[in-house]
Amino acid sequence: MHPAGGENKTSPELPGVRQIWEARKRIRPSIYRTPLIYSAPLSDRLKGEVYLKLENLQEIGAFKIRGAANKILSLPEEERRRGVTTYSTGNHAQAVASMAGKAGIPAVVCLSNRVPEAKKRAIARWGAEIRVTGSSQDDAEAYCRKLAEEEGMVLVDPFDDPFVIAGQGTIGLEILEDLPDVASIIVPTSGGGLISGISAAVRTTSPEVTVTGVSMERGAVMHASLEAGHPVVLEESDTLADSLLGGIGLENRYTFRLVQRYVSRIVLLPEEEIARGMAFLLKYHKMMVEGAAATGVGALLSGAVTPEDREKTVIIVTGNNVNPEAFLDSVKSVYTI
Ligand SMILES: *Cc1c(COP(=O)(O)O)cnc(C)c1O
C-alpha cells in the first residue's frame, strides 16, 4: 500500500481497528476461526486462568495465513498478474504460497539456508518456486527486493505491511469475542506483525488489556530496538524458536511504532524454557508445536510472566511447523516437567 498523497513518507498512517474489521470480512472464507481453549494444566500451576488460542490448527499450521490472505486478496488485478514474492523463515512463505496457489497467482519464495528442509518441502507443496540465497534473513530479503524491482513482482512483506498486520489482528477480535474479560495476552514476537495487529485490535477497544511479547534470548531484534529507541540489527544465532529469527528492518514503517504504542514489554526466554514449553504442550495438551509457538507457555512456566489472582491470560500458540525428529530432540532433555 502506498501512503496517501502528501503524507509524510517516513511515518505512514498506522493500520487500526477499521482495517482489522475489513480484513476479517475479506479473509473469512480463507482461514479457520480457531478455538480458544481453557488450559487446566497451566491454570492449576498459576494464580490466573490460562487460555490457548490455537493458531497451530490453521491449514498451513500457523497464523500467518491471516496476514497473507488479507494482503493477496486485496491486490488489484494488474498486480495479481505480475505475481507475488516474499522472503521468510518459513511460515509466511507457506502462507503466501498457499494463498497465491488458491488464487491462481504465480509466487516466488526467497529463503536463507538456515530454513529447515521440512519448511522448504511444505512451501514447494503449494506450487511456489523456491530460491535459496545467503545465510541470513537479511540476505534473503535483499534478494527478494531485487526480484521485486527487476521482475516487477509484488513483495508481500512478512510483517511490516498494513494489510498483513490487519490480517494478523483478526486474532485480537476473536479473542475479545470469546473472552471479553481477558486481562492479558502473551504473543510470540519477531518482526512484530502479529503483536502489532493483536494489540491494535484489542487495546483500541479495551485499553486495560496488557499485551506482552516473548522472544528468544539471543537475537531478539524488536526487544533490542525498543531499548535503543529505534530499529537495530542483531546477529542471528540458532534457536528452537526459528520462526522468530530475522530483523525488523532498519526502515521499519509500521510494527516498531505500533509495538512502542501498545505493547507493555517483551520478555526474553533462554532455550531450555522454550523446550520446556514445547514439552508441556506435548505432555498435557497432546500437541506438537514449534519452538516459537511454545514461548508463551515457556514464559508462564518460567515465571517470566506472572498472572495475578484469577486474571485471564491468553497465550497465542502460533504454529506447528517443526519436523517430528527435531521436536523430539528438543523436548527429550526436559521431558520430566
Ligand atoms: C512469524 C511467526 C511468529 C512471529 O510473528 P511476527 O509477526 O514476525 O512477530 C511467531 N510464531 C510463529 C510460528 C511464526 O511463524
Side-chain angles (χ1 to χ4, degrees):
M1 185 173 87
H2 301 290
E7 219 175 73
N8 181 349
K9 196 163 171 282
T10 57
S11 51
E13 200 185 323
L14 295 171
V17 110
R18 182 191 158 101
Q19 284 75 21
I20 299 170
W21 274 102
E22 284 167 1
R24 179 186 165 100
K25 278 185 275 178
R26 194 176 287 126
I27 71 177
R28 194 125 217 194
S30 310
I31 63 145
Y32 290 122
R33 190 193 186 291
T34 55
L36 183 74
I37 65 163
Y38 176 67
S39 173
L42 276 169
S43 305
D44 288 350
R45 283 164 186 250
L46 301 156
K47 287 195 200 155
E49 282 180 24
V50 183
Y51 296 79
L52 308 175
K53 178 68 170 163
L54 299 181
E55 287 297 303
N56 53 317
L57 299 181
Q58 294 292 353
E59 187 183 7
I60 61 151
F63 72 87
K64 284 210 174 67
I65 190 65
R66 294 176 184 258
N70 192 40
K71 175 71 179 181
I72 288 173
L73 295 174
S74 57
L75 290 177
E77 190 48 42
E78 187 258 328
E79 293 192 334
R80 291 183 183 216
R81 268 198 301 275
R82 282 189 266 143
V84 292
T85 182
T86 192
Y87 59 96
S88 165
T89 51
N91 286 329
H92 174 68
Q94 271 199 69
V96 170
S98 94
M99 262 325 290
K102 286 177 186 170
I105 298 172
V108 174
V109 175
C110 311
L111 300 175
S112 84
N113 62 17
R114 276 183 194 273
V115 176
E117 275 309 312
K119 287 193 174 181
K120 284 187 204 146
R121 277 197 303 274
I123 294 161
R125 197 176 67 209
W126 299 103
E129 183 190 336
I130 294 177
R131 297 193 198 166
V132 176
T133 170
S135 60
S136 79
Q137 191 66 4
D138 291 342
D139 293 341
E141 176 180 348
Y143 182 82
C144 184
R145 291 199 184 282
K146 212 176 94 197
L147 202 63
E149 222 162 84
E150 290 175 2
E151 298 183 23
M153 299 187 99
V154 176
L155 199 162
V156 184
D157 195 282
F159 54 86
D160 203 28
D161 179 293
F163 288 94
V164 171
I165 294 166
Q168 325 300 30
T170 58
I171 294 172
L173 300 181
E174 293 174 18
I175 292 172
L176 286 180
E177 284 166 356
D178 293 348
L179 197 69
D181 55 345
V182 58
S184 151
I185 305 178
I186 304 178
V187 188
T189 299
S190 174
L194 178 62
I195 198 167
S196 295
I198 291 176
S199 58
V202 170
R203 302 224 31 205
T204 312
T205 41
S206 306
E208 69 286 357
V209 177
T210 308
V211 180
T212 306
V214 201
S215 300
M216 64 286 178
E217 215 159 55
R218 283 169 293 167
V221 180
M222 184 62 85
H223 179 266
S225 301
L226 284 178
E227 302 249 291
H230 56 84
V232 299
V233 177
L234 297 181
E235 205 180 317
E236 288 184 4
S237 48
D238 287 332
T239 170
L240 291 175
D242 56 277
S243 287
L244 301 186
L245 286 170
I248 69 165
L250 287 175
E251 306 293 323
N252 188 291
R253 289 152 61 86
Y254 303 96
T255 62
F256 181 65
R257 281 191 294 145
L258 283 164
V259 169
Q260 272 186 320
R261 181 178 298 179
Y262 291 123
V263 175
S264 312
R265 65 190 174 123
I266 296 178
V267 299
L268 304 183
L269 279 196
E271 294 296 303
E272 314 84 81
E273 301 297 347
I274 298 173
R276 232 173 122 210
M278 294 166 86
F280 190 93
L281 284 167
L282 177 68
K283 185 169 180 175
Y284 294 104
H285 286 284
K286 319 301 175 196
M287 291 190 299
M288 183 177 82
V289 309
E290 57 180 288
T295 54
V297 172
L300 286 181
L301 291 174
S302 70
V305 178
T306 47
E308 305 282 319
D309 267 349
R310 291 187 301 279
E311 193 176 77
K312 292 185 174 153
T313 299
V314 171
I315 297 174
I316 316 295
V317 178
T318 48
N320 67 9
N321 289 305
V322 54
N323 80 53
E325 294 77 25
F327 176 86
L328 291 174
D329 275 350
S330 312
V331 300
K332 231 182 288 171
S333 59
V334 291
Y335 198 72
T336 45
I337 321 164

